[in-house]
Amino acid sequence: MTKPREATVTLENAAQHTVVTRDGRRLAVETSGAPDGPAVFLLHGTPGSRSGPRPRPVVLYRLGVHLICYDRPGYGDSDRHEGRRVADTAADVAAIADAFGIDRFALVGRSGGGPHALACAALLPDRVTRAAVLVGLAPAGAPDLDWYAGMTSENVDEHSLADADATELRDLLTVRAKDVQRDPMTLLEFLRPQLTEPDIRVVDDVAIRRLLTDMYAEALRHGPEGWIDDVLAVHRSWGFDLGAIRLPVRLWHGEQDRFSPVAHSRWLAARIPNAEVQVQPGAAHFGAVEILPQTLAWLSTPELAAAPRL
């Protein structure tokens, strides 16, 4: 693999990179796994960062996956892109792939990263091989979908503000971000009463809990802008046509998810050609962490390397 162009690599950790976009913004990128394996982008949730839960390097090597994670604009060490749409992710992902000399790649988006993975699938059809969405969201205001049905009241309150009062949304998320800056455990403590039993089981794992708190701390280290912009982007026009996605798409959802209810994946599956939906009983939102290795194996199957351009 060629050395990244327009990228600086820290001496402390060769897996940490900074990629500069055409409009001069910096994107913080982290790579792990097999450098010469099929490239897979992991797009984090909301809020989230490049340091989110993922398989250990030894597992990624066993899978043969070159995993690429980055902070969406406004999170962690990535510069903010104010007013961004979901569709804008495609240009950022393409810039990262270009910096690493990667022609074709797959993507998986987790939770709030799901819409952004679908944007890349729709807008980069000659580069994306497959896409997966784990516990994703449908567009806000989607026809024939009760968008808030089955959501926790706290999630409903947060997302409702995106349409009703963006200033109040900013105030709310600013307070939560400051709480996380003081103690990253506060976000998990806030979420805990909203968790179903399957999610409690996942979050109570010491290693996963540490990964989550580290991710939240990094995501909100400089403030809530990424979180605010993510929520607002979901409630704007996404900027692409789901029906234009022609490559294989896998949608996975835990049946007991109360943060992004399973009806969202079913709605998406009905509108994306070649999409398959897998609903897992006895799983919920954080089950996406456990299903990720299996998803990466599907995304990086050998035949993808020889897949013809669309």
Side-chain angles (χ1 to χ4, degrees), residues 21-285:
T21 64
R22 288 185 177 180
D23 57 357
R25 290 178 293 107
R26 297 168 302 162
L27 297 173
V29 183
E30 184 169 315
T31 61
S32 55
D36 297 323
V40 179
F41 281 80
L42 170 58
L43 307 186
H44 61 73
T46 303
S49 72
R50 67 192 186 279
S51 62
R54 59 181 179 269
R56 292 175 298 162
V58 66
V59 176
L60 294 173
Y61 272 101
R62 190 180 306 127
L63 291 170
V65 171
H66 179 204
L67 192 67
I68 304 170
C69 308
Y70 80 102
D71 296 337
R72 274 195 300 282
Y75 286 115
D77 285 331
S78 287
D79 293 334
R80 188 182 185 193
H81 183 183
E82 190 170 1
R84 61 179 165 90
R85 301 179 304 161
V86 172
D88 294 330
T89 297
D92 286 351
V93 166
I96 295 169
D98 289 345
F100 285 89
I102 297 170
D103 183 31
R104 290 173 62 78
F105 48 86
L107 303 106
V108 52
R110 185 163 51 203
S111 189
H116 300 85
L118 293 175
C120 296
L123 299 174
L124 302 173
D126 59 336
R127 304 190 71 171
V128 178
T129 54
R130 287 185 176 185
V133 175
L134 311 179
V135 298
L137 289 166
D144 305 317
L145 174 67
D146 187 344
W147 205 82
Y148 292 107
M151 273 191 191
T152 65
S153 58
E154 291 82 358
N155 232 28
V156 171
D157 291 344
E158 177 182 313
H159 279 277
S160 296
L161 289 175
D163 293 322
D165 192 336
T167 299
E168 192 173 342
L169 174 68
R170 167 175 288 281
D171 293 343
L172 173 67
L173 297 186
T174 297
V175 170
R176 291 186 185 170
K178 287 180 178 177
D179 288 341
V180 171
Q181 289 169 349
R182 286 192 294 269
D183 179 4
M185 274 298 297
T186 59
L187 187 51
L188 284 182
E189 291 167 356
F190 171 77
L191 294 175
R192 191 173 185 87
Q194 310 169 51
L195 301 179
T196 55
E197 191 60 38
D199 273 345
I200 291 174
R201 177 185 57 80
V202 175
V203 171
D204 278 351
D205 180 278
V206 174
I208 291 177
R209 188 164 63 246
R210 176 61 182 273
L211 288 170
L212 289 170
T213 54
D214 286 351
M215 175 185 70
Y216 296 143
E218 178 62 20
L220 304 173
R221 183 158 52 91
H222 298 299
E225 281 74 18
W227 195 354
I228 294 165
D229 292 343
D230 259 5
V231 175
L232 291 175
V234 170
H235 287 263
R236 297 188 182 105
S237 169
W238 285 8
F240 63 93
D241 178 13
L242 290 167
I245 301 173
R246 298 294 170 175
L247 51 92
V249 174
R250 175 174 290 183
L251 305 162
W252 181 92
H253 226 110
E255 189 176 46
Q256 298 182 41
D257 193 340
R258 297 181 62 207
F259 294 95
S260 52
V262 68
H264 287 241
S265 279
R266 291 189 171 122
W267 187 93
L268 290 167
R271 288 157 178 80
I272 300 173
N274 303 318
E276 61 174 272
V277 61
Q278 298 179 343
V279 178
Q280 185 169 325
H285 195 74

